[in-house]
Amino acid sequence: MAAKTLAAGVKPPHLIYMSAWFCPFAHRATLALQHHKTHLTYEWVEALGWEKRVASDECVQTAHENWYHFKAPELMKWNPLGMVPTLVSEASFKEDPSLGPMTPAVRESLVAIEFVDELVRGGETPIMPSCPYERARDRVAAEAVNKTVCSKYYHVLVRQEAKEQREGFDALVKGLDVFGEELAGGPFFAGRSSPGLVDYALFPWAHRLPVFEHYRGATFAIPRNTPGLLAYHGWLKAMESLPHVRDTCPPWADYLAHIGRYADGSARSKVANAVRDGRDAHQYDDDKDDTSH
């Protein structure tokens, strides 16, 4: 994908971005939007929140009330599954053809990263490689970290048995080790000099991993005992040194309070419900794990 710049006088694309400050899936789209912030504009709509409801079934493992997602009407209109990130063009959102063509909403976090990059035709620093073979490799690697690291994050938090928490953590560390080995000298995935799809796929969870030490103890710190894990820590430091990445991170104290709902088993979201049921987070079912009831 060749890098492009906006011609003089051309209005950059404007998106309505339905997001949630605490959500690492949405964080992926935020990273892509900030990566290309000189080539587009966007309006953030805070579309997910939390409300307390009294426990209504026998599987609840906590004695206190349970936290459920509530979802903004705008989100449900454009994404009936109620998931963030969801991106909508200004013309479509305002139902105004004078602003541009009517286009469908963009859903799913990994798709959103690629969409933003394509929308601005790579900008000055493309997220996706120009080589189709390398793009295919990156898509496979992004799905791998999604399953081996990002999903296991919730296993460590939602599962309440110590043995299961440790199993999830060990699997997650193994995934990070593999990722570190694939940095190929870095600083970013596959030896890139700037972040790409795989870096943005993993970072939202990598940034949040220290919550394990807070809720599960010091033995849940990410180790540095292999070349791959050492490379991972170097990558994380490189990512967090970038202003456009660092500025997307949620306030730490607020996030700790938020994720506590997962750590004590009281959260009710599609992801939490799937993990509580014994599945991985990426295996959630839109019907079975629905939180509207």
Side-chain angles (χ1 to χ4, degrees):
M1 182 185 297
K4 302 290 183 181
T5 57
L6 285 173
V10 174
K11 182 182 177 181
H14 183 72
L15 299 170
I16 310 303
Y17 174 35
M18 281 163 270
S19 188
W21 70 268
F22 52 81
C23 178
F25 293 98
H27 194 173
R28 287 171 168 170
T30 308
L31 287 163
L33 291 165
Q34 286 298 104
H35 181 107
H36 286 310
K37 63 184 177 182
T38 60
H39 293 269
L40 53 75
T41 58
Y42 64 93
E43 176 184 343
W44 181 298
V45 176
E46 190 68 20
L48 286 184
W50 291 90
E51 62 186 2
K52 269 191 168 185
R53 305 180 199 166
V54 176
S56 59
D57 58 67
E58 296 179 357
C59 73
V60 173
Q61 301 297 311
T62 52
H64 53 278
E65 290 182 313
N66 294 266
W67 289 95
Y68 287 75
H69 275 147
F70 71 82
K71 301 172 183 184
E74 303 98 317
L75 175 63
M76 298 306 295
K77 175 181 178 180
W78 288 101
N79 186 345
L81 297 178
M83 304 295 280
V84 294
T86 296
L87 294 162
V88 183
S89 71
E90 181 181 27
S92 296
F93 189 82
K94 294 181 177 179
E95 300 180 347
D96 185 351
S98 71
L99 296 173
M102 298 294 101
T103 54
V106 177
R107 310 166 184 173
E108 300 295 335
S109 59
L110 293 178
V111 172
I113 295 172
E114 291 199 50
F115 162 76
V116 170
D117 199 48
E118 290 181 14
L119 184 66
V120 301
R121 290 184 284 178
E124 295 174 5
T125 308
I127 293 173
M128 298 299 293
S130 59
C131 171
Y133 295 95
E134 293 177 359
R135 289 200 299 274
R137 174 204 62 200
D138 286 6
R139 289 171 183 137
V140 171
E143 286 290 352
V145 299
N146 196 50
K147 293 176 180 178
T148 63
V149 178
C150 307
S151 280
K152 296 304 180 183
Y153 174 79
Y154 300 99
H155 197 103
V156 178
L157 292 171
V158 174
R159 303 300 294 179
Q160 298 299 297
E161 294 290 333
K163 180 176 181 291
E164 294 178 332
Q165 293 167 3
R166 178 57 62 179
E167 288 173 349
F169 179 75
D170 289 345
L172 181 150
V173 169
K174 183 178 179 180
L176 291 177
D177 195 9
V178 171
F179 169 79
E181 292 174 349
E182 294 178 342
L183 287 170
F188 305 109
F189 182 79
R192 288 177 56 118
S193 59
S194 62
L197 174 66
V198 188
D199 304 289
Y200 288 150
L202 176 58
F203 177 77
W205 284 265
H207 176 73
R208 289 162 169 79
L209 291 180
V211 304
F212 291 165
E213 297 171 67
H214 182 85
Y215 286 108
R216 298 291 179 251
T219 62
F220 283 81
I222 305 302
R224 302 170 183 260
N225 57 355
T226 70
L229 290 171
L230 285 171
Y232 159 75
H233 282 285
W235 166 85
L236 181 59
K237 182 177 180 180
M239 288 291 288
E240 291 181 331
S241 72
L242 298 173
H244 82 272
V245 171
R246 188 170 59 246
D247 291 347
T248 66
C249 297
W252 189 247
D254 293 344
Y255 185 73
L256 274 180
H258 155 76
I259 204 63
R261 302 180 183 106
Y262 286 78
D264 71 5
S266 63
R268 292 297 182 269
S269 67
K270 290 181 182 179
V271 164
N273 289 349
V275 175
R276 192 177 295 107
D277 190 48
R279 289 167 282 138
D280 280 330
H282 65 273
Q283 295 173 321
Y284 72 82
D285 182 276
D286 287 310
D287 295 323
K288 182 177 182 179
D289 301 313
D290 182 30
T291 60
S292 63
H293 51 273

